[in-house]
């Protein structure tokens, strides 16, 4: 790819059926409309988008953030949408059903490192199940882009290590030295650094999109001036007000750092979006 072509990259976060379809295991309210706008953005700018990267949340059934991993005090499986803190583990309110020490250490690391708190989700994005697939409108638009440019999208799998969540695109919530897939994805960050603009959207706004933004600014702060968030192509899962507030603070800090915000309708890929600091 020539330098002239390296202008506009698009990063799509977890645009998968379990999040984007109403019958998905972890449907995000608003994701149907978000997906249509995302597909329209790709179609309307098919000549101007030079690179498309798609993350794929990819879990096993036995996963540290799925109900089957944890037991309540009465011995029954933990319910989906349950937050679990280190103090609750130590008090016996919740007990890991496997690998107790490693599970406790994981939650302890989340809290000490300032990551999003541990949370139990419904089983979702299980590799090879229907919900793991890409939402149809977006898949069709991306395939048309591939055919138009005679090139391929970049697929970035995340979440394959069952011992750690992997919200953001660039590393797991708790990276492990023994698994490269959990560590910082510097090749992906370096790829995006080659572009003038990096458009970002997907699901969900308050978890995987915001953590992608957070990680980019922590690991590669030079990307701040390149990133453009498409605000109408993502929605909140809304698990808790605390997380919503935390996500909003990250977005506010990103804007101060130079990240730009627009919508798929207002975005003009030919005209740079004004910096938040300008």
């Amino acid at each position: 790819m020539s330098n002239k072509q390296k202008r506009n990259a698009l990063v799509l976060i977890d645009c998968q059926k379990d999040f984007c379809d109403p019958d998905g295991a972890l449907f995000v309210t608003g994701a149907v409309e978000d997906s249509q706008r995302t597909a329209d953005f790709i179609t309307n700018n098919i000549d101007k988008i030079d690179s498309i990267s798609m993350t794929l949340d990819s879990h096993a059934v036995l996963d540290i953030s799925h109900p089957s991993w944890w037991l309540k005090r009465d011995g029954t499986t933990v319910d989906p949408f349950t937050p679990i803190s280190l103090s609750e583990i130590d008090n016996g309110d919740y007990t890991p059903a496997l690998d107790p020490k490693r599970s406790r250490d994981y939650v302890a690391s989340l809290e000490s490192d300032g990551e999003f708190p541990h949370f139990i989700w419904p089983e979702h994005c299980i590799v090879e199940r229907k919900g793991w697939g890409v939402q149809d409108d977006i898949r069709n638009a991306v395939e048309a882009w591939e055919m138009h440019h005679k090139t391929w999208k970049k697929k970035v799998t995340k979440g394959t290590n069952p011992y750690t969540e992997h919200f953001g695109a660039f590393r797991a919530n708790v990276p492990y030295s023994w698994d490269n897939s959990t560590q910082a994805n510097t090749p992906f960050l370096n790829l995006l650094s080659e572009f003038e603009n990096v458009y970002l959207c997907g699901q969900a706004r308050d978890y995987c999109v915001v953590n992608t933004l957070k990680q980019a600014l922590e690991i590669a702060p030079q990307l701040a001036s390149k990133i453009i968030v498409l605000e109408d192509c993502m929605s909140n899962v809304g698990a808790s007000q605390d997380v919503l507030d935390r996500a909003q603070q990250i977005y506010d800090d990103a804007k101060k750092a130079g990240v730009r915000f627009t919508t798929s309708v207002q975005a003009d890929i030919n005209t740079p979006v004004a910096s938040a600091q300008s």
Side-chain angles (χ1 to χ4, degrees):
M1 183 180 291
S2 69
N3 288 334
K4 183 178 179 181
Q5 292 174 304
K6 291 188 177 183
R7 182 170 184 189
N8 300 303
L10 174 63
V11 178
L12 303 172
I13 304 298
D14 297 0
C15 296
Q16 294 162 270
K17 292 182 178 181
D18 265 348
F19 301 122
C20 297
D21 287 356
D23 61 349
L26 189 45
F27 175 60
V28 177
T29 302
V32 171
E33 296 78 9
D34 297 335
S35 298
Q36 186 59 62
R37 286 187 286 266
T38 301
D40 289 345
F41 178 78
I42 295 168
T43 300
N44 294 337
N45 296 287
I46 195 167
D47 287 319
K48 305 164 192 172
I49 298 172
D50 304 308
S51 169
I52 294 180
S53 300
M54 304 184 70
T55 68
L56 293 170
D57 208 28
S58 304
H59 293 296
V61 175
L62 275 176
D63 185 279
I64 201 164
S65 292
H66 287 168
S68 57
W69 196 283
W70 297 89
L71 300 175
K72 292 186 282 189
R73 188 181 289 273
D74 63 6
T76 59
T77 301
V78 170
D79 301 316
F81 305 107
T82 298
I84 294 180
S85 67
L86 182 61
S87 63
E88 288 172 318
I89 296 172
D90 289 343
N91 290 337
D93 298 323
Y94 302 111
T95 303
L98 66 163
D99 287 343
K101 182 181 185 305
R102 184 178 287 180
S103 301
R104 183 192 181 279
D105 289 348
Y106 169 72
V107 177
S109 293
L110 288 178
E111 295 186 7
S112 64
D113 295 344
E115 296 291 334
F116 277 38
H118 191 45
F119 197 77
I120 305 304
W121 303 103
E123 291 180 3
H124 65 283
C125 294
I126 307 300
V127 175
E128 297 179 352
R129 286 188 186 176
K130 178 182 177 181
W132 183 60
V134 176
Q135 193 270 350
D136 289 339
D137 295 324
I138 294 175
R139 176 179 53 79
N140 290 335
V142 171
E143 288 178 355
W145 175 87
E146 289 178 311
M147 295 298 292
H148 180 80
H149 287 273
K150 297 298 185 287
T151 191
W152 299 271
K153 64 182 175 291
K154 178 179 176 60
K155 293 182 288 186
V156 180
T157 58
K158 63 187 187 66
T160 55
N161 188 308
Y163 288 98
T164 177
E165 264 284 18
H166 202 138
F167 292 145
F170 303 117
R171 64 164 174 81
N173 294 24
V174 175
Y176 293 121
S177 60
W178 47 271
D179 185 352
N180 289 337
S181 74
T182 67
Q183 297 170 30
N185 191 338
T186 51
F188 186 24
L189 287 161
N190 291 339
L191 170 69
L192 297 180
S193 295
E194 297 174 0
F195 291 86
E196 294 179 30
N197 302 304
V198 178
Y199 290 84
L200 175 66
C201 64
Q203 302 302 337
R205 175 187 181 275
D206 50 344
Y207 274 92
C208 293
V209 179
V210 75
N211 273 277
T212 296
L213 185 59
K214 173 178 177 285
Q215 291 172 0
L217 298 183
E218 288 174 349
I219 304 170
Q222 71 275 11
L223 283 176
S225 62
K226 299 175 181 286
I227 296 174
I228 303 169
V229 178
L230 297 177
E231 295 188 276
D232 63 334
C233 295
M234 56 185 189
S235 293
N236 294 316
V237 69
S240 73
Q241 187 60 49
D242 178 65
V243 168
L244 286 171
D245 292 343
R246 184 170 184 166
Q248 188 57 53
Q249 185 61 57
I250 293 170
Y251 284 116
D252 292 344
D253 291 343
K255 187 173 291 187
K256 294 175 185 176
V259 172
R260 293 163 283 170
F261 292 77
T262 186
T263 68
S264 63
V265 177
Q266 294 173 331
D268 183 352
I269 281 190
N270 286 324
T271 303
V273 180
S275 168
Q277 293 182 322
S278 64

